[in-house]
């Protein structure tokens, strides 16, 4: 875990990245937000790339902490897939909801999602990160998990799309919704119906 000052820098930098984009934010902008000199900022981070690398590391730590908190299988998709087949439905339901809350209500993770959404069209590396965290990465992971259930790659991929597609859409609906609780209820209904469907 990084120290408090470095964590504060990451939080403020990421907030700026989410508002103005990674490319549109300078080290001077970050220093000004924090009320420190650029020289003081450079004592903690060598530049924006190091800040971004630390943000990604923090995101990965949050993923691990969340999986452990819900006692969910960890590791590569293929390794975790078998364990998922023995995981109780209630735990899968709770973890799926926790994942959504993570990407929408947790400030750090929500800002990370917004930064990637902004930057995916401007920077190829950001586009790769966007896909890995929010696009093809989750679909690939879920396809491996559902593959153990269906025994069919094409069926598994379809199930992954059916499960994740509405959740991906709900991220956008949540951001613009006045009644965010309604979006959470929609999420709950989607998860329940999907679990019911694959249980048949």
């Amino acid at each position: 875990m990084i120290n408090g000052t470095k964590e504060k820098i990451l939080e403020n930098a990421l907030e700026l990245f989410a508002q103005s984009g990674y490319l549109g934010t300078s080290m001077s902008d970050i220093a000004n937000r924090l009320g420190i000199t650029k020289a003081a900022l450079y004592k903690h981070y060598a530049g924006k790339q190091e800040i971004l690398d630390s943000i990604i590391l923090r995101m990965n730590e949050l993923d691990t902490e969340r999986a452990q908190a819900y006692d969910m299988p960890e590791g590569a998709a293929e390794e975790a897939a078998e364990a998922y087949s023995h995981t109780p439905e209630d735990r899968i339901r709770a973890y799926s909801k926790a994942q959504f809350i993570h990407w929408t209500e947790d400030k750090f993770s929500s800002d990370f999602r917004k930064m990637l959404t902004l930057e995916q069209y401007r920077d190829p590396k950001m586009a790769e990160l966007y896909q890995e965290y929010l696009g093809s990465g989750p679909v690939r992971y879920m396809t491996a998990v559902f593959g153990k259930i269906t025994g069919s790659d094409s069926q598994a991929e379809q199930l992954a799309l059916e499960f994740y597609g509405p959740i991906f859409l709900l991220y956008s609906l949540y951001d613009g919704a006045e009644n965010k609780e309604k979006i959470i209820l929609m999420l709950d209904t989607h998860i329940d119906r999907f679990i019911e469907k694959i249980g048949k």
Side-chain angles (χ1 to χ4, degrees):
M1 177 64 71
I2 57 180
N3 67 42
T5 300
K6 296 191 83 167
E7 182 73 16
K8 185 177 180 182
I9 291 170
L10 292 189
E11 290 171 356
N12 280 271
L14 183 53
E15 187 173 353
L16 286 172
F17 296 161
Q19 292 169 356
S20 304
Y22 175 75
L23 296 177
T25 301
S26 67
M27 289 293 276
S28 294
D29 293 330
I30 297 168
N32 289 338
R33 168 66 68 95
L34 291 160
I36 62 175
T37 65
K38 233 171 42 161
L41 179 57
Y42 277 112
K43 286 181 181 178
H44 295 284
Y45 291 102
K48 279 200 311 179
Q49 184 61 55
E50 187 178 355
I51 290 174
L52 179 61
D53 291 343
S54 295
I55 287 170
I56 292 169
L57 181 61
R58 181 70 184 120
M59 287 299 302
N60 293 339
E61 289 172 351
L62 289 171
D63 284 344
T64 300
E65 290 169 7
R66 202 164 53 262
Q68 290 173 347
Y70 286 86
D71 196 23
M72 297 301 288
E74 296 181 63
E78 292 75 16
E79 298 168 4
E82 179 63 33
Y84 266 101
S85 64
H86 305 293
T87 302
E89 287 182 5
D90 286 348
R91 200 184 308 156
I92 292 174
R93 184 181 286 106
Y95 183 65
S96 298
K97 185 171 180 178
Q99 285 285 81
F100 185 84
I101 298 300
H102 163 75
W103 286 113
T104 54
E105 295 185 8
D106 178 86
K107 182 74 167 73
F108 195 87
S109 303
S110 177
D111 281 345
F112 184 72
R113 175 174 60 86
K114 291 171 184 175
M115 174 193 71
L116 294 182
T117 302
L118 279 175
E119 291 298 323
Q120 65 174 315
Y121 304 110
R122 295 189 275 208
D123 182 273
K125 289 182 180 179
M126 287 292 189
E128 287 178 16
L129 284 172
Y130 177 87
Q131 287 299 324
E132 189 58 33
Y133 281 91
L134 295 162
S136 59
V139 172
R140 185 172 61 249
Y141 188 91
M142 291 175 199
T143 298
V145 170
F146 291 133
K148 287 291 182 181
I149 298 171
T150 65
S152 162
D153 289 343
S154 60
Q155 276 188 302
E157 189 172 53
Q158 186 59 39
L159 282 175
L161 291 172
E162 287 178 19
F163 181 66
Y164 185 62
I167 291 174
F168 184 81
L169 173 61
L170 288 173
Y171 290 149
S172 295
L173 294 179
Y174 185 94
D175 287 339
E178 290 184 15
N179 183 358
K180 297 188 184 299
E181 187 58 36
K182 181 180 179 182
I183 306 302
I184 298 298
L185 290 173
M186 292 169 70
L187 173 72
D188 288 338
T189 300
H190 166 63
I191 294 171
D192 287 344
R193 287 180 177 174
F194 185 84
I195 290 175
E196 182 182 350
K197 173 184 175 179
I198 63 172
K200 290 181 179 178

